[in-house]
Amino acid sequence: TLPIIMINTYLGKIIVQSWIPKIIKKRVCSIFVEDSLSNGALCQCGAARDDHASVAVGDHFSTAMLKHWESAEHSSEQPTDAFGEVQFAGASKRHSHFLRLSWSTEPSVVYNILTAQSIWGLPAPNLVVSVVGGEGKTQVKTWVREVLRQGLVKASQSTGAWILTTGLHEGVGRCVGQAVRDHAAAASSVSLNKVVALGIAPWGLVEKREQLVKPQGSFPAKYNAPNASQDSCPLDNNYQAFLLVDDGSVGRRGGETEFRARLEEYISQQRTGRRGSGSIEIPVLCMLISGETDMLKRMDLSLKSCIPWLVLAGSGGLADFLSDVLENLSSAPAVLSSGEGNSEALKAPKVDLKDRVAERFKKHFPSEAQTDKLVEQALNIYQNRHLITVYHAEHESPNDFDTVLLKTLVGASKQHSSVEDNPYTDELKLAVTWNRVDIAKTELFNGEIHWKYKDLEDSMTDALINDKPQFVRLFTENGLNILEYLTYGRLESLYRSVPDGTVLYQLLQQCLAERLAMVERHSPSEKQNSSTKLLKDNNEDGPVKEVTLFEVSRVLELLMGDVCQPFYYQPLRLEFTSSKGTALRRASKVLRGRCKYQDWPCLDPWASLFLWAVLQNRKEMALYFWEMAGEAVLSALGGCKILRELSKLEIENETKLSLKELAQRFENLAHDIFSSCYRSDERRSFTLLIRKSPVWGHSTCLQMGVSADARLFFSNDGVQSLLSHIWWGDMKRNTEVWKLLLTFFCPILCYTNLISFRKQDNQLEEEEGIPNEDGPDQDTNILLSAFIIFDTGVPYRPPQRPFIVSRWRQFWFAPVTSFLGNVLMYFLFLLLFAYVLLVDFEPPPPSGPGAAECVLYFWVFTIVCEEIRQSIYLGTMTWRQRFRLYIKDMWNKCDLTAISLFIIGLICRMFHRSHEFGRDVLCLDYMVFTLRLIHIFAIHKQLGPKIIIVGKMMKDVFFFLFFLGVWVMAYGVANQALIYSYDPNPNRIFRRVFYRPYLHIFGQIPVEEMDVGKDWDITCTHNVTLIESGEEPCRNHESNWMVVILLVVYLLVTNILLINLLIAMFSYTFSKVQEHSDTYWKFQRYNLIAEYHSRPSLAPPFIILSHINIFIRRVIRKVPSVKIHHFVLDLEPKSANRLSTWETIQKEDFLTARIKIQKSSDSERLKRMSTKVDGVLKHLSESRDFEHRLRSLENQIEYCSSALNWVVDTLAQGSTFKPPRPPPALRDVLPSSSSST
């Protein structure tokens, strides 16, 4: 993947180099306006006369008439010459993006450059904080630094925000850069890119900006500006991107103000979330720190765009002035000036307010001369005071700065909300956008606010699309009804929001393209419609050209295979057809315009959301939906199946690994939940394994586990116990094998007590809804293994059979008996085959074949019939699905190979020309039939795991043969060419190039032939004609020394290096597989038991009788088979609900126990302790605040007391009037309890 990324990056740079100069412009001063203070050396733009073009300084008459330089009138646009990436000298290797652009550039173009993946690729913001003020060389206060570091950057990191500053290495911009750097160093790799520091600086103010100039773009530009001059400042290396706004001036501040305000306004109109899928627009907040008077215009411009502001009181400058005006003038009542007319009375408050604002302005900015315009701007700001929040550092902690930001934005948004809306809806949407579930729990869902369904609907969709499972859990716990929320139309919208580039998106688009292609092929009349019909809305009668439930169903069918029926066919009014073309044609007819099913509520909402989350590999979301959905074991196995199939299609290694890890976690959950069920109730757990699920396409846990390759699940004791029950039938599991063999050869013993049979518990079975007896066509009498429950829900019960018949069926129709018979007859088959090949293989007809050979042919014919039955006539699926399932098994492929070789050998041996070849093929076929014994012995507990280990080692052998073949080829060719100068005989070349070096490994080295010093008794010649006629060539004596050296090297490499490599590979494989060999064997044991459970009780060649019986009953008499339903149970609705409730209880008990274990762990204890410590610290900070308030209250009381004393003294000394009584005496304060004791 690394070369692909490098190629894409290179191509992206070429694209940027080609189109950015065509769209983005810079500004150049086009008219020289003389600066009176520089004696004509400088222009009012700040540049020298020599830096201007000849056109700009040529018109002396025009320049003499101009008094003031304006960027819009006296500068022109040219293609930008500074863009690309910048690398700071002495800093990290991380590159930052930069772009020189004109102040009149459209903000939409710039925003697309910032967020497009193919250009800069910055993550879309959930919040934009624009820090204004604090520029220049002024020193930033210490507490402001702490607010920026612990408050702003930390809050931005938790919300995924952009921080906009000037990006220069001075003032507040420098403090923000340092804070971003510190948090990036301390944060995890997951949250590194959550905070984006974006610098918007005037181009003419950047120090050493000429290092960034390159018309073709810089990738990267080397930037080195260690010292800042008086009129310029270098860029800060802690920012991810820089927008260098050019207004044509040099060394002047404020050139970026207008563009920055327009960019903030444009961003505030965009939506949050992936591809703008959020429920709210991106919140933009301006934060004022200190600031000069020229910031009033900037602030007034933003407030008119309804952008809220946060003012840091006490930071100095304009921030202190505005906090003074907003707090004191808002609290104090306006004193009306005296006047006679009504108009003067209305104007009086405004005049008085203006005077008070002017008074405070003179107080804070005594050196300002022209104050009228600035006071008017301050009054405009005061009129929009509802958009301004004053922050006092002494009252708020920097750690709660995110809450301050949230309340500031919510307070501003409440001014625009309607009366009917919940006033807390905007606050909730912001909390969801920032993914701050802690704020939502403490502020919004604390029991004081009554939430309605409509208040949570949009936020729920936002949380689902943007992967915020904690909010989904919070909403469902606080009044959101999932049955009312999730309709089929909303489910389709969730699938349409799948991110581009994922495997799910590609699969959905592929299925959508197939459906649309089918529509175009089967509806040519639509192309010939008149122009009036073409003007109709596509949503009314045209085909739906977006992802629908049909595409989702096709994707699930692709991933799930034949293990279950297709999903979502019921709302689409489609039948469970096996033809892909038929389903496409029917779906194209249904999916036209606005479909009715989109308004229907989803039948299984939690299961549908679980599938949606699993398909997108959303771990936390999928786990929560699994907890909420029913059928916990089957759902976990289904998620495991889907994730493992997706991992096979995924290309990215990291994503593939995460898919496999989540699949393994679901398999572990299925194993653990079923273990709890098995410990609780063995019988119900057996029913759980074979119960058909309507939610999961009528599949069972066993079928889903096999399809998902869930080896760990099959190693569960409960699953193995069920398999043992089925394997032994009605016989007890502790029956010795010798008793089975003795009864097999003497069937009358089955009526004795030699073999013990289990007793049936009819009462318990009826309680569980499980029939006790077999259907009329059942070939076994195994409890829970095969039965039918008809549509009426009443199980069919056949009449009781006599003891002789029932006991006979209990023994002979058990899978273990069928297996034993097949093993014995297979040994007889191999003996007969060997006898024919070695003793009784007669010539072709009419002399042969003999009687034994004819018996062998008939025996193989019965084996072929059984394979046909297994591949086509077994199960309820279509013959194509059954054949696909049959061909997946490796041993079935072995059977097909053996049968194909036997047919080829049989045909060839019937003719004189190919008689010997046919015998050779049959000899090879005998080896294949013999190797088939490995599968038979896989049921053995000791041999089964060893067979698995041998199978794993065969892969190592293939890798070893590759290395060995390379050395054999290299040595064989060189050795043959050195010993014999000329030998065109192909037979000798093949033997001496490949066969002889291979024998060297095992010590068979013909020294006489290879060493010329040894005598060789074979006659040879140097005559080329004789050599070409087939004579043995003589050896070459000149290069014989090299032959010996090559032999030594070859033996050293093969016998020591490669052989020991093979031994090491075998040892590693053995140690690796040995740990899990028991798990692998238990998984394969299911396939063997299912195979012999479905087989007739008779073994070949007598199995032909069973085949005839089956043909008569199924084809002629049309009697349905019960045995095709092996391992499948269709419960009555009442019993199914009871079983699902019991499974849910077991799941909840398991999750509760796991939560208790997690809470008792050391890490959880530390988390709880840290939470308590944070609470204590918060209370301490609040107590300090209370202390401060009490002190101020005491001071005020003391002042009032002294004032009252002064009043009393004054009145007592005066003689105006005499008081009726003397002043009250001061009472002593009662002593405290501590002092009294």
Side-chain angles (χ1 to χ4, degrees), residues 923-940:
C923 292
L924 182 63
D925 188 38
Y926 179 80
M927 293 182 60
V928 180
F929 272 113
T930 306
L931 291 176
R932 190 65 171 80
L933 284 172
I934 296 177
H935 176 57
I936 294 175
F937 290 110
I939 195 65
H940 196 269

Side-chain angles (χ1 to χ4, degrees), residues 29-33 42-43 45-54 56-57:
C29 181
S30 58
I31 298 178
F32 184 86
V33 180
L42 295 177
C43 175
C45 70
R49 179 183 293 272
D50 297 337
D51 296 337
H52 288 70
S54 58
V57 297

Side-chain angles (χ1 to χ4, degrees), residues 100-307:
R100 178 185 181 183
L101 69 161
S102 171
W103 59 266
S104 59
T105 306
E106 289 296 327
S108 59
V109 178
V110 178
Y111 184 74
N112 290 331
I113 293 175
L114 292 172
T115 57
Q117 291 294 332
S118 59
I119 309 177
W120 286 9
L122 299 180
N126 293 325
L127 169 68
V128 174
V129 179
S130 181
V131 182
V132 181
E135 301 174 1
K137 310 301 179 182
T138 57
Q139 187 70 23
V140 180
K141 296 182 179 180
T142 305
W143 69 268
V144 176
R145 292 174 179 267
E146 290 299 315
V147 168
L148 293 175
R149 186 175 65 85
Q150 297 184 6
L152 176 61
V153 177
K154 186 177 180 180
S156 301
Q157 191 174 21
S158 63
T159 56
W162 285 7
I163 302 179
L164 306 185
T165 68
T166 57
L168 300 177
H169 196 67
E170 63 173 9
V172 173
R174 179 178 182 179
C175 297
V176 171
Q178 292 175 349
V180 170
R181 178 197 62 194
D182 295 341
H183 277 274
S188 61
S189 59
V190 179
S191 58
L192 275 180
N193 297 325
K194 284 189 175 182
V195 179
V196 174
L198 179 61
I200 304 179
W203 166 261
L205 199 64
V206 177
E207 178 78 10
K208 299 292 183 66
R209 54 188 174 276
E210 62 274 2
Q211 298 178 4
L212 306 176
V213 175
K214 187 177 181 181
Q216 297 81 17
S218 303
F219 299 97
K222 305 292 183 180
Y223 185 74
N224 185 10
N227 299 320
S229 61
Q230 184 177 0
D231 298 330
S232 60
C233 187
L235 299 175
D236 193 278
N237 60 354
N238 297 309
Y239 285 73
Q240 282 89 334
F242 297 94
L243 296 176
L244 307 178
V245 183
D246 191 3
D247 63 345
S249 64
V250 178
R252 295 191 175 187
R253 298 182 182 272
E256 83 287 359
T257 303
E258 183 179 349
F259 170 79
R260 184 170 172 179
R262 288 191 293 114
L263 179 63
E264 293 166 0
E265 182 181 1
Y266 176 80
I267 295 177
S268 66
Q269 298 171 358
Q270 309 306 308
R271 286 195 170 269
T272 59
R274 300 177 180 178
R275 297 183 296 176
S277 60
S279 59
I280 63 170
E281 296 175 344
I282 298 175
V284 177
L285 173 69
C286 295
M287 188 169 69
L288 178 62
I289 301 177
S290 183
E292 301 297 331
T293 55
D294 55 354
M295 294 292 177
L296 287 170
K297 180 181 178 181
R298 161 83 167 85
M299 193 171 181
D300 186 21
L301 186 65
S302 294
L303 289 173
K304 290 178 180 179
S305 301
C306 298
I307 294 179

